[in-house]
Amino acid sequence: MDKFTKLTGIAAPYPVVNIDTDMIIPKDYLKTIKRTGLGSGLFAEARYKEDGSENPEFVLNKPAYRSAQILVAGDNFGCGSSREHAPWALLDYGIRCVISTSFADIFYNNCFKNGILPIVVSPEELEKLLDDASRGSNATLTVDLEAQEIHGPDGGVIKFDVDAFRKHCLINGLDDIGLTLEKATSIDTYEKKASASRPWAA
């Protein structure tokens, strides 16, 4: 997966609480096991009208936020069923970072495994970031994973915590497969020894 070190991008405000994974990517889009192409279905029920046309009131349909890479969201983001399509849809749209006061555990874990950085902040910090994100095309935040800091458009800085192992994986672009491949030499050595000691099992 792509490395995440420092991201500077437009932040879209979406202060809705309890956004579940069905709201992030409705079940109608779950017919594929591919990670690409799901961006068009991201927040589909809010993003589109019944006739399929865009809802101009939805934040990501507004010109200033169409290229947003950061989402500043309400409490308990990613709750509901444990569909991995939710982070796939966010990533396919171009969202690399979601900021909230809390996340559902499974969604939170799936974000790290797919190259998305979920950041937990306090309610007061979220209000500040929502205010920053409300500035339209000027709503630019910089998320520095190495320093564990969010830099606002006015120069304000918010520190955040992240698990050291997950941080290592994001900075180095390591998903579960990548972590395994890091041990390829040791695995090959073990397999050769095992084959030599138990040739009947080969």
Side-chain angles (χ1 to χ4, degrees):
M1 66 186 186
D2 291 338
K3 296 179 180 180
F4 190 117
T5 53
K6 182 185 289 187
L7 170 67
T8 297
I10 297 295
Y14 197 34
V16 179
V17 300
N18 300 321
I19 293 291
D20 64 29
T21 52
D22 190 54
M23 296 169 71
I24 297 172
I25 183 71
K27 61 182 181 300
D28 298 347
Y29 294 87
L30 304 186
K31 299 173 184 177
T32 179
I33 57 171
K34 295 181 180 179
R35 301 189 185 196
T36 56
L38 290 169
S40 62
L42 180 68
F43 299 121
E45 293 178 355
R47 194 168 151 200
Y48 304 112
K49 297 180 180 180
E50 289 187 6
D51 63 3
S53 62
E54 289 187 350
N55 171 11
E57 298 303 313
F58 184 70
V59 63
L60 295 181
N61 289 336
K62 296 180 179 180
Y65 298 110
R66 285 185 178 272
S67 60
Q69 293 178 281
I70 301 166
L71 189 67
V72 184
D75 188 56
N76 196 30
F77 190 87
C79 57
S81 62
S82 58
R83 60 185 65 166
E84 196 167 5
H85 291 70
W88 292 355
L90 286 163
L91 189 64
D92 192 58
Y93 181 86
I95 303 293
R96 293 295 312 275
C97 177
V98 182
I99 304 171
S100 178
T101 52
S102 66
F103 295 89
D105 286 344
I106 294 176
F107 174 83
Y108 185 79
N109 292 330
N110 282 339
C111 280
F112 286 103
K113 293 181 179 182
N114 287 281
I116 297 173
L117 173 62
I119 298 176
V120 176
V121 296
S122 71
E124 295 76 21
E125 290 169 333
L126 186 73
E127 285 301 315
K128 176 63 174 68
L129 292 168
L130 284 170
D131 181 63
D132 289 339
S134 69
R135 303 182 186 194
S137 58
N138 294 320
T140 301
L141 298 178
T142 294
V143 178
D144 187 335
L145 177 55
E146 292 182 302
Q148 295 178 210
E149 295 176 344
I150 304 168
H151 294 255
D154 292 332
V157 178
I158 293 174
K159 299 283 292 184
F160 63 89
D161 294 325
V162 62
D163 175 79
F165 174 71
R166 287 169 167 161
K167 177 180 178 179
H168 167 80
C169 289
L170 277 180
I171 287 176
N172 292 282
L174 298 172
D175 56 11
D176 288 346
I177 294 174
L179 284 167
T180 302
L181 291 176
E182 279 197 319
K183 307 295 184 182
T185 301
S186 297
I187 293 170
D188 288 342
T189 300
Y190 170 80
E191 291 291 344
K192 288 176 182 177
K193 288 182 178 179
S195 295
S197 62
R198 302 192 302 274
W200 61 87

